[in-house]
Every structure is written in structure tokens, then in C-alpha cells.
Amino acid sequence: MIKNLMRGLVPLALVLSPLAAPAPTASAGVQLFPDALAELTEATEDPAGYKESAFPHWDQGLDAADGCDTRAEVLLAEAVEAPATGADCALTGGRWTSSYDGQSVTDPALLRVDHLVPLEEAWASGASGWTAERRAKYANDQGAAATLVAVTARSQKAKAGQDPAAWVPDGSAAYCRYVGEWVGTKLRWGLSVDKDEMEALKLFGDGPCEDTVVQRSTAPR
């Protein structure tokens, strides 16, 4: 898998130029990708005992009075053109751009709200030791924009719960954003990375994504 990633990075390296814009300066709440990556803890993952029901979702969302669950609130927040909201928060119309594949979607029923760091990955990376309440907070987390993302069903299926050692979106802008948000989410929730995952992330951090900015935040307790 690492070799496949390296082949995918070669074309981008050919277009990099000494005249490229200077690297952004990190400030409070953000870090450059290599610095954020260095803060991750490497550990062997243990998926034993995982079941989706260990992460209750979707809950009533940020506004219990709006009649919308977390999934619907994410769709409303990420809409490029706002949908109409009917009874029981039924959404119609609107438009979204799937961050995994860049596809424009105008039917909310065709979208999936994906956990950027999948539930099983979270479980294997430390969430197995959390309380049920904390796992529910993770599964419904709207406190950081990257934790939950509205994407096409096709791209979610292609990802299939894999980590960046096995899958990233196509295109430099998409995969740099993705790995930056992956690292930001793992740091937000104190999740570890395994050896292959770390090696894959370092390939991005040592090359095309070294100037990617990672948004830093702390998850609720």
C-alpha cells in the first residue's frame, strides 16, 4: 500500500516549483502538518470486540428544538446551497460538494455523513477504552468540522473504513486536506496511529502536504 501511495505522489512532485507560495505560518489553534504528525502516538491497533452499536448515533444534534438529528444538521451545515426543511427535518433540494471525490450532489438522500476517522478505526486506536458516553460524543461530534463529512455513497464505499495507508481521495488538494483532517481528528480525540498508518502519513508530510495546515482542537469530556 505504501508503494502505491508513493507512485501516486510522483506526478505532484514533478509540478512543484521553487516559485511556489511560501509556507503558511502556524498560529494559535493550527499547526503545519509535519508538526501535528509528530504529536501522534504510534501504537498497535486492536479491533477486537468492535461493534457499531458501541458508538450510538445519530443523536438529537446541537439544537434539540430544531427536530433535526446530527446527520441532518451536518447536511445543513455543509450545504453549498441550503435545502428546504420540512416536517421532522425532512430535507429536499439543496446542493453539496462531496469532499472525497468533488462530486456535486443535489439530492440529500444520495449523501452519506461519514466519520472521517471511521468508528472501527477509532475503536482500534483507543476508543475501546472509553465510556459509552464518550463514544457517543465522538460518533456525533460537530465540534470540529472535519469529524463528520457529507460525501457521496460511492466515495464512502471506496474508502470502506480504511486508514490513509490504504486509501486517500484522488488529487493533491483532496488528499492533503484529507490527511490533515485525519491527523487533526486523531489529535482532537487522543487516538493513536499504527505503524503502516504513520509511515503513509509521513510520506505526505515529507512531500506534497508539508505545508498543509491542521486545525487543532480538544474534544469534549
Side-chain angles (χ1 to χ4, degrees):
M1 292 298 183
I2 300 297
K3 291 181 180 179
N4 290 338
L5 284 169
M6 292 180 71
R7 284 198 293 269
L9 299 183
V10 169
L12 181 64
L14 295 177
V15 301
L16 293 177
S17 164
L19 300 179
T25 302
S27 61
V30 301
Q31 277 182 300
L32 293 180
F33 184 78
D35 297 326
L37 183 58
E39 292 191 24
L40 287 171
T41 299
E42 186 176 322
T44 301
E45 291 183 357
D46 183 6
Y50 167 74
K51 52 185 179 180
E52 187 175 332
S53 60
F55 294 83
H57 64 289
W58 305 107
D59 67 11
Q60 62 186 1
L62 297 178
D63 183 359
D66 67 3
C68 299
D69 63 11
T70 295
R71 179 186 182 278
E73 288 186 354
V74 171
L75 292 179
L76 288 167
E78 295 192 4
V80 178
E81 296 176 5
T85 306
D88 299 321
C89 201
L91 305 181
T92 55
R95 183 169 65 86
W96 293 260
T97 300
S98 167
S99 64
Y100 290 176
D101 54 12
Q103 294 298 305
S104 180
V105 179
T106 55
D107 182 354
L110 299 179
L111 290 164
R112 302 292 181 266
V113 172
D114 190 44
H115 294 89
L116 189 125
V117 174
L119 300 179
E120 185 171 8
E121 171 73 21
W123 175 274
S125 304
S128 60
W130 295 350
T131 63
E133 180 183 10
R134 185 163 176 79
R135 287 195 292 269
K137 288 180 179 179
Y138 176 83
N140 297 279
D141 182 19
Q142 294 187 68
T147 310
L148 298 171
V149 288
V151 297
T152 59
R154 180 177 63 180
S155 64
Q156 186 194 46
K157 183 177 180 181
K159 176 185 171 183
Q162 301 173 97
D163 71 22
W167 185 89
V168 293
D170 291 330
S172 60
Y175 65 61
C176 283
R177 171 183 172 178
Y178 181 79
V179 296
E181 291 177 341
W182 181 279
V183 170
T185 301
K186 287 228 160 177
L187 289 171
R188 172 173 168 79
W189 287 92
L191 298 170
S192 63
V193 295
D194 65 25
K195 184 176 183 294
D196 289 345
E197 183 183 352
M198 177 65 87
E199 289 181 355
L201 292 169
K202 283 180 176 178
L203 285 177
F204 293 107
D206 291 342
C209 304
E210 63 180 344
D211 293 339
T212 294
V213 172
V214 176
Q215 299 292 330
R216 295 298 305 273
S217 60
T218 301
R221 288 291 174 182

